[in-house]
Amino acid sequence: MNDFPSLPERDLPAGRHQLLKEHLLNEIQQAAARPEPAPVRKKWLRPAFAGPVLAGALALAVVGGVALMGGDDGGAKGGTEAGGPQPQGAPQTAAQLLDRVATVASQQDALEIRDDQYAYVKTKAAYGESMICDALKLGPVKTREAWISVDGGRSGVIRTDGGPAETTGVPTPGIASNTYYRHLESLPTDPAKMLDWLHKASEGGKSEDQNTFVLVGDLVRESLVPPKVAAALYRAAAKIPGVELVPNATDAIGRKGIAVGRVDEQGGGRNEWIFDAKTYEYLGERGVLTRDSEGGTATDKNGKEMKCATTPAGTVTANTAVLERSVVDSAPEAHAPGADKDHPVKEDAGEFAGE
């Protein structure tokens, strides 16, 4: 169970592609509405969330749905090794918090889930947006629903704000960040082995520790994770250098909690996973700039170069809240993005493969 083949080049999860596509289309539409021709300028901070969560639905682990960057100021506290006795009172370190989260996850009862079923995750999320040359600001909160096939053998389905359902495509086998249940079920349950696998599997920026932290967020974001695997993920995350406790954090629907985060020195923001301070349920994620983000320059309609607005440190760049996680027998009829909406695909017919 813990022997893993060599991994191919990492791809973004299908859901992440769709999120980025939605943001890009929004930018294009806004740019088209302005009379002055100028290039669209936008700095994307990788949303480490997709998810964060309510208590594990159907007795599955309490892990995140949609991890982001940022959070309230809260310096790293000295760590204690995860896995020891539960300290009394509020957690004083990131390691203490993640140990409690892992303990809650490990105590859930794993269910027998059929290959023909779907994991269903409902999330509220808002992402950073900017008009041409304006500073980045948080956009409106939208509802996102996702259906991920248990075995990865059918297409996933997503729906935003009750709109038409769209397929997400077939997941590429062997990709570390795949979130279908059978892939997650194959991961190590020992924290040391999990950390070793995460280091080897993660890709992205220059920092291996940041890449590893982001991969954990990708795996728990919009998924159902088996209890023992969830516990191993959180205990492994507690051993990543730079992970810090954030005493106060708020998700996309205003629920207050306690969080762990890690500053991305390359990107200039912090990824943060938010948990309920009493039950240690995964609530959501948030991204916050940790330094000013220069806006660059653009050319106005007269050909003159102008300086764009700077987005200040402390700006929230993404925020999510997981509302529901469950197992369902089918997904709604859906069409491929850009396809004929009058001829939807029946996703429970097994014609596609899942996210």
Side-chain angles (χ1 to χ4, degrees), residues 59-148:
L60 288 160
V62 181
V63 293
V66 149
L68 320 176
M69 310 178 59
D72 301 318
D73 288 341
K77 314 287 184 181
T80 62
E81 285 299 317
Q86 291 287 343
Q88 299 299 314
Q92 299 301 302
T93 68
Q96 285 182 359
L97 174 56
L98 289 168
D99 182 59
R100 296 185 191 189
V101 172
T103 297
V104 170
S106 67
Q107 292 171 347
Q108 306 302 312
D109 295 325
L111 292 184
E112 292 186 7
I113 303 174
R114 302 193 313 271
D115 283 351
D116 63 341
Q117 293 180 306
Y118 290 82
Y120 171 75
V121 184
K122 184 177 183 179
T123 306
K124 290 280 191 179
Y127 296 91
E129 300 176 351
S130 67
M131 295 290 288
I132 297 171
C133 225
D134 288 345
L136 191 76
K137 63 180 181 180
L138 201 62
V141 175
K142 296 182 180 181
T143 301
R144 173 181 166 92
E145 297 173 279
W147 291 259
I148 306 102

Side-chain angles (χ1 to χ4, degrees), residues 237-328:
K239 298 178 183 296
I240 300 172
V243 176
E244 57 190 28
L245 184 71
V246 182
N248 300 292
T250 305
D251 71 10
I253 60 172
R255 295 179 297 192
K256 297 186 181 302
I258 187 170
V260 295
R262 191 178 193 284
V263 174
D264 178 2
E265 298 294 349
Q266 181 180 358
R270 185 167 66 190
N271 293 10
E272 184 175 297
W273 311 332
I274 308 170
F275 304 94
D276 186 282
K278 294 182 179 179
T279 66
Y280 304 115
E281 297 172 5
Y282 192 68
L283 299 179
E285 299 174 278
R286 183 169 57 177
V288 174
L289 281 178
T290 55
R291 63 173 183 258
D292 292 349
S293 177
E294 294 299 325
T297 60
T299 304
D300 65 17
K301 62 181 180 181
N302 298 316
K304 295 182 62 177
E305 188 174 81
M306 57 183 180
K307 183 175 176 56
C308 295
T310 295
T311 302
T315 299
V316 177
T317 60
N319 205 359
T320 65
V322 175
L323 307 181
E324 180 182 350
R325 292 176 186 268
S326 61
V327 177
V328 296

